[in-house]
Amino acid sequence: MENYFSSKDKKLGILGGGQLGKMLLDITRRYDLYTKVLDPSADAPCATGCKEFVQGNFNDYDTVMAFGADCDVLTIEIESVNTQALKELQSRGKHVFPQPEIVELIQNKVLQKQFYADNQLPTAPWFGFKNKAEMKKKMEKHSFHLPFVWKAATGGYDGRGVMVIRNMADLEKIPDIPGLIEELAAIQHEIALVAARNQAGRVAAFPPVEMSFHPVANQVEYVFCPAKLSETKLEEASQLALSLVDKLGIVGVLAVEMFVNQNGEIWINECAPRVHNSGHLTIEACITSQFEQHLRAILGFPLGSTQLIRPAVMVNLTGEEGFTGPVFYEGAEKMLATEGAYMHLYGKTETRPFRKMGHVTLTAETLEEAREKALKVKEILKVKSV
Ligand code: ADP
């Protein structure tokens, strides 16, 4: 086994230096790994926690090639990266996890849905198209009726690039770009879970969480663990995610978002080949965190236990509407008096409406108790500008 611990010769390169990278660095520092991070912003959240910081564009072929040249292992904390360069680095003997082919497949929602279809994984009925004219033709052919959901093939993130189409006026708003349309799910619960597969092919799943969304921003506001589902449904969701990581053959973590429909059916909505907002509460609530699990998986180590220690709720701290500029965390001191509250600030100096600035995880004896604390935190702590 290669020795990555306390070594100056074995470098781990991370593409992306945002909050996900910052939380990965908490573990790389604990393990004493040599890290190098690439991000376009000089004051990215990762700029100070790594051994080497490189300012540059992870979507640019030459920049990624130069960045990866002296790395032994490369990973990502964002999926919008130059996969051509990662493939070339892989062919030159670098360990690139998750594998660039898988990142490429997931980057495109049409290819992702096709993968589910080819592997008999349950997902909303759908079809893909190259442009709007083809969409209209296929709608007739498949007798697809309103309402439905439109998604851009690439470039979507946090609800952008997704539209619910309810009438003819909505239909007109669909841009003339490649995409897919799918059936509008009768959602009862939106759940997610982080699963992992290591180099030896071992897999493990964290407990499914339930997500609740902000009505305006269409962004996750709270995450609850465990999800309020029967043992059978929780197990079914875990098995689905494990089957997906197995079929993809991914090395690293995979976050899988799913719908539990009113008729009890589970559909895979989408997945992300990286650590994920829905898994942040694993830091305090589980024996191993998603960040440690990812590093274990990509470095060839055994996976850690995913067992839940205590029920937990995570609150996303996002910029208040009406405030743009240097950030000020109003009520942070008062909030810290809450028992079992773990505050994470991402190190972003500027706030703007709905920007993800941090999160707070609340653990308690029961989920209800953690939920009450989370609601209180949301009331006390506000992300404003000075
Ligand atoms: P993004 O990649 O932007 O996160 P998602 O595919 O996760 O996009 O969609 C964002 C949200 O839109 C989902 O969390 C869900 O609330 C809603 N949504 C997406 N697809 C469907 C669907 N087929 N039926 C009902 N709601 C959906």
Side-chain angles (χ1 to χ4, degrees):
M1 182 169 294
E2 313 212 42
N3 180 28
Y4 294 98
F5 306 118
S6 304
S7 167
K8 282 192 170 37
D9 308 321
K10 291 280 172 199
K11 294 190 183 180
L12 165 67
I14 305 171
L15 270 59
Q19 64 263 23
L20 300 176
K22 182 172 182 268
M23 289 181 267
L24 272 174
L25 293 180
D26 286 342
I27 311 297
T28 62
R29 289 160 69 101
R30 181 143 71 79
Y31 277 15
D32 200 23
L33 305 174
Y34 192 106
T35 50
K36 193 176 163 187
V37 174
L38 176 67
D39 194 273
S41 165
D43 61 354
C46 283
T48 52
C50 55
K51 291 259 168 78
E52 273 180 64
F53 180 75
V54 179
Q55 190 181 358
N57 181 357
F58 38 67
N59 278 300
D60 179 67
Y61 181 87
D62 293 331
T63 308
V64 174
M65 288 303 293
F67 175 81
D70 68 343
C71 292
D72 297 277
V73 186
L74 284 144
T75 193
I76 57 168
E77 63 98 71
I78 182 165
E79 57 262 46
S80 156
V81 291
N82 190 301
T83 50
Q84 282 314 109
L86 289 178
K87 281 185 194 168
E88 181 56 30
L89 287 164
Q90 192 179 40
S91 74
R92 292 184 191 182
K94 309 286 181 192
H95 297 292
V96 185
F97 298 128
Q99 302 90 319
E101 302 74 25
I102 298 174
V103 178
E104 211 165 72
L105 182 127
I106 294 173
Q107 278 175 346
N108 185 312
K109 284 193 178 175
V110 176
L111 298 180
Q112 205 187 118
K113 287 286 275 193
Q114 192 59 50
F115 186 87
Y116 303 146
D118 294 345
N119 289 281
Q120 288 82 45
L121 292 162
T123 188
W126 68 288
F127 64 80
F129 44 82
K130 289 189 188 63
N131 52 41
K132 220 169 155 176
E134 194 188 355
M135 179 190 95
K136 285 186 174 159
K137 234 191 264 163
K138 283 193 172 175
M139 267 179 76
E140 278 167 32
K141 190 175 142 209
H142 296 271
S143 44
F144 226 83
H145 299 295
L146 296 166
F148 56 77
V149 179
W150 166 87
K151 297 182 180 183
T154 55
Y157 181 61
D158 270 349
R160 292 186 287 262
V162 177
M163 276 195 284
V164 179
I165 308 300
R166 297 189 185 279
N167 49 44
M168 296 315 276
D170 289 345
L171 201 60
E172 288 313 305
K173 286 187 222 151
I174 295 178
D176 196 11
I177 56 173
L180 65 94
I181 63 177
E182 64 181 25
E183 206 172 282
L184 182 70
I187 303 173
Q188 194 163 36
H189 305 272
E190 285 208 42
I191 62 168
L193 74 97
V194 175
R197 183 175 171 280
N198 69 3
Q199 289 187 31
R202 294 268 152 70
V203 297
F206 284 99
V209 301
E210 179 144 8
M211 300 176 290
S212 114
F213 288 78
H214 187 283
V216 177
N218 204 7
Q219 241 179 16
V220 173
E221 193 170 23
Y222 298 100
V223 173
F224 303 93
C225 188
K228 269 196 195 149
L229 294 172
S230 66
E231 280 302 319
T232 330
K233 281 286 145 199
L234 292 173
E235 183 54 26
E236 192 184 327
S238 299
Q239 287 308 323
L240 251 182
L242 289 176
S243 142
L244 177 55
V245 292
D246 229 7
K247 285 176 170 157
L248 281 170
I250 194 170
V251 173
V253 293
L254 183 81
V256 189
E257 295 184 39
M258 302 176 212
F259 302 140
V260 182
N261 294 330
Q262 277 158 21
N263 65 3
E265 241 178 275
I266 302 182
W267 281 350
I268 297 178
N269 174 30
E270 60 171 358
C271 65
R274 55 167 170 80
V275 286
H276 194 256
N277 190 243
S278 64
H280 291 352
L281 49 68
T282 57
I283 297 174
E284 291 89 7
C286 294
I287 290 180
T288 310
S289 76
Q290 63 164 345
F291 301 96
E292 180 165 357
Q293 194 75 312
H294 182 63
L295 291 170
R296 284 170 171 253
I298 66 170
L299 295 175
F301 302 137
L303 295 176
S305 161
T306 54
Q307 198 188 317
L308 186 72
I309 305 167
R310 280 182 111 195
V313 177
M314 186 214 64
V315 193
N316 269 330
L317 298 178
T318 55
E320 289 284 310
E321 283 181 276
F323 294 88
T324 299
V327 67
F328 169 63
Y329 296 95
E330 186 185 280
E333 224 177 286
K334 185 171 172 207
M335 191 284 297
L336 286 172
T338 315
E339 194 269 333
Y342 299 89
M343 182 172 74
H344 296 255
L345 300 182
Y346 298 156
K348 300 176 184 176
T349 49
E350 300 278 316
T351 183
R352 55 174 183 267
F354 302 117
R355 186 176 193 200
K356 279 184 193 157
M357 300 298 287
H359 74 263
V360 179
T361 299
L362 294 308
T363 64
E365 284 303 309
T366 63
L367 184 64
E368 191 44 41
E369 210 185 304
R371 198 182 79 91
E372 278 165 23
K373 288 185 194 180
L375 295 178
K376 226 169 79 191
V377 164
K378 190 82 189 168
E379 238 171 68
I380 300 171
L381 185 53
K382 304 275 181 201
V383 184
K384 296 188 174 175
S385 57
V386 284

